[in-house]
Amino acid sequence: MSSITDKRRGDVLRAIVADFIASQEPVGSKSLVERYQLGVSSATIRNDMAVLESEGLITQPHASSGRVPTQKGYRQFVDSLHDVKPLSSAERTAMVSFLERGVDVEDVLYRSAQLLAQVTRQAAVVQMPNLQVSRVKHCEVVALSPVRLLLVLITDAGRVDQRNVDLAQPIDEADTVRLRDALNQALVGKTFREASSQLAALADAAPSDLADYIVPAATTLAETLVDHPTDRLLMAGASNLTRVPATFAQGLPTLIEALEEQVTLLKLLARVPEMGDVAVVIGDEHEEDQLRGSSVVSAAYGADGETLGGMGVVGPTFMDYPGTIARVSAVARYVSDIVGPR
């Protein structure tokens, strides 16, 4: 088989996928000849379609109908996408402007879920920062009264936790500063797991004149580090999935259940590729049964080259892959740019 024939059949497959994504109607040889500059007759196209069908890349739902892509066909189509059409300048500007209006990291991530759902017309999922990767940026200590302190723990992922600590003995301004310095020396730059160990060591080795302050403060901070679940999903656009054709709606209840349970999607987002790459999982490629009627396009976001979490969209296998890949990649990159400097 010549390379020219191989290329043409690849063009035919891409044309069938593009037409079916746009219409959800079987694609015939006549429509391909009319819509695309393939430079061959309808008979040649029909022969190419027969070969593609024998290879399992397309199928014919009914004897007299055109062809539709199979999951294998979608995979070959996605793998052949070397250049994804870039977003327009206006679209990029609108995305960045919307995300930058977030008041903190969680708000930025919530906005990213809303944005992905809107621009892809799919269900969007965004994983909150992975606390195993997040590091402590600063711990502020504020004296609310001589026997009550406010501890403010800030991470490089933008998470802010506040806790009150009641003291057995009054604390003066100088010891408040010493306590803050001791806590920051133990915590800054540490992951949450490392920080927990450091707090235990700090409490054990606290100077006698600071022990009455360090021990309750360290205990409270240690509880703060483990108090919240390390995995949480933000979701938007699940209603978009109800607007797709009946061929997808048959598996919709199972998919909605997976979205509501979150565990399945958390497992999926835990396997996102390295930052800068996009993963596409199609149909039966999913390890999770609940997702096998759908496709998921996901990417990682992070700061300073470290992945903090994943984000992506869930939709039918006949989703607009080029457009979805471009938008998921762009939003992940913009979120990383916003989160990174903080």
Side-chain angles (χ1 to χ4, degrees), residues 54-90:
S54 70
E55 294 175 348
L57 299 170
I58 59 175
T59 188
Q60 190 173 26
H62 308 289
S64 59
S65 70
R67 304 316 199 271
V68 301
T70 63
Q71 291 184 12
K72 182 179 178 181
Y74 286 126
R75 169 50 60 195
Q76 184 156 316
F77 172 79
V78 169
D79 289 346
S80 70
L81 292 174
H82 302 300
D83 296 310
V84 176
K85 183 179 178 181
L87 305 182
S88 69
S89 176

Side-chain angles (χ1 to χ4, degrees), residues 138-152 163-167 169-188 199 202-203 206-207 209-221:
H138 182 68
C139 180
E140 188 56 59
V141 180
V142 180
L144 300 177
S145 77
V147 291
R148 171 167 283 196
L149 300 175
L150 172 65
L151 305 179
V152 183
R163 290 293 181 91
N164 289 336
V165 180
D166 291 320
L167 304 175
Q169 300 292 332
I171 188 170
D172 60 25
E173 183 176 349
D175 282 342
T176 300
V177 173
R178 290 177 63 202
L179 173 62
R180 182 195 64 200
D181 291 345
L183 291 172
N184 278 290
Q185 185 174 2
L187 295 175
V188 171
L199 287 170
L202 178 63
D209 60 335
L210 278 182
D212 287 341
Y213 315 131
I214 285 181
V215 172
T219 301
T220 299
L221 287 173

Side-chain angles (χ1 to χ4, degrees), residues 7-332:
K7 181 182 180 305
R8 187 185 66 242
R9 287 176 183 165
D11 292 341
V12 171
L13 175 62
R14 284 188 287 274
I16 292 172
V17 171
D19 266 29
F20 185 71
I21 286 172
S23 68
Q24 280 85 64
E25 295 290 339
V27 181
S29 58
K30 183 179 179 182
S31 66
L32 291 181
V33 171
E34 290 174 350
R35 282 211 249 323
Y36 298 92
Q37 311 285 316
L38 297 173
V40 292
S41 66
S42 292
T44 300
I45 297 299
R46 284 194 295 273
N47 180 64
D48 289 339
M49 293 170 77
V51 172
L52 293 172
E53 187 171 5
S54 70
E55 294 175 348
L57 299 170
I58 59 175
T59 188
Q60 190 173 26
H62 308 289
S64 59
S65 70
R67 304 316 199 271
V68 301
T70 63
Q71 291 184 12
K72 182 179 178 181
Y74 286 126
R75 169 50 60 195
Q76 184 156 316
F77 172 79
V78 169
D79 289 346
S80 70
L81 292 174
H82 302 300
D83 296 310
V84 176
K85 183 179 178 181
L87 305 182
S88 69
S89 176
E91 192 170 15
R92 291 197 302 271
T93 300
M95 283 183 171
V96 173
S97 175
F98 179 71
L99 292 171
E100 286 183 337
R101 289 201 294 271
V103 296
D104 55 27
V105 171
E106 184 163 350
D107 190 30
V108 170
L109 295 177
Y110 178 71
R111 285 171 173 268
S112 71
Q114 292 180 306
L115 183 59
L116 281 174
Q118 179 181 353
V119 299
T120 67
R121 297 188 180 90
Q122 313 290 350
V125 291
V126 177
Q127 183 184 23
M128 290 295 288
N130 181 349
L131 300 185
Q132 301 304 318
V133 177
S134 298
R135 295 179 182 274
V136 176
K137 184 176 181 179
H138 182 68
C139 180
E140 188 56 59
V141 180
V142 180
L144 300 177
S145 77
V147 291
R148 171 167 283 196
L149 300 175
L150 172 65
L151 305 179
V152 183
L153 189 70
I154 305 169
T155 75
D156 60 359
R159 171 178 163 180
V160 178
D161 281 295
Q162 300 182 16
R163 290 293 181 91
N164 289 336
V165 180
D166 291 320
L167 304 175
Q169 300 292 332
I171 188 170
D172 60 25
E173 183 176 349
D175 282 342
T176 300
V177 173
R178 290 177 63 202
L179 173 62
R180 182 195 64 200
D181 291 345
L183 291 172
N184 278 290
Q185 185 174 2
L187 295 175
V188 171
K190 304 295 191 301
T191 66
F192 275 34
R193 182 175 299 171
E194 293 167 345
S196 295
S197 299
Q198 290 293 315
L199 287 170
L202 178 63
D204 289 341
S208 57
D209 60 335
L210 278 182
D212 287 341
Y213 315 131
I214 285 181
V215 172
T219 301
T220 299
L221 287 173
E223 292 171 351
T224 301
L225 294 176
V226 299
D227 189 47
H228 298 291
T230 58
D231 291 315
R232 184 155 60 95
L233 284 182
L234 303 172
M235 289 186 289
S239 61
N240 289 335
L241 301 179
T242 66
R243 303 189 182 102
V244 297
T247 52
F248 177 66
Q250 294 172 1
L252 191 54
T254 301
L255 182 57
I256 294 295
E257 183 179 329
L259 291 174
E260 290 176 346
E261 290 179 354
Q262 296 197 7
V263 175
T264 298
L265 292 173
L266 282 169
K267 290 180 181 177
L268 184 70
L269 291 179
R271 301 191 294 269
V272 290
E274 293 183 2
M275 287 176 56
D277 294 332
V278 177
V280 181
V281 186
I282 302 170
D284 290 339
E285 296 173 357
H286 287 288
E287 295 179 5
E288 297 79 12
D289 291 340
Q290 292 167 299
L291 297 176
R292 288 185 175 166
S294 66
S295 287
V296 176
V297 178
S298 61
Y301 71 89
D304 298 324
E306 288 192 289
T307 297
L308 295 175
M311 63 175 60
V313 298
V314 184
T317 54
F318 49 81
M319 69 167 60
D320 171 17
Y321 289 102
T324 302
I325 291 170
R327 286 160 178 78
V328 169
S329 176
V331 173

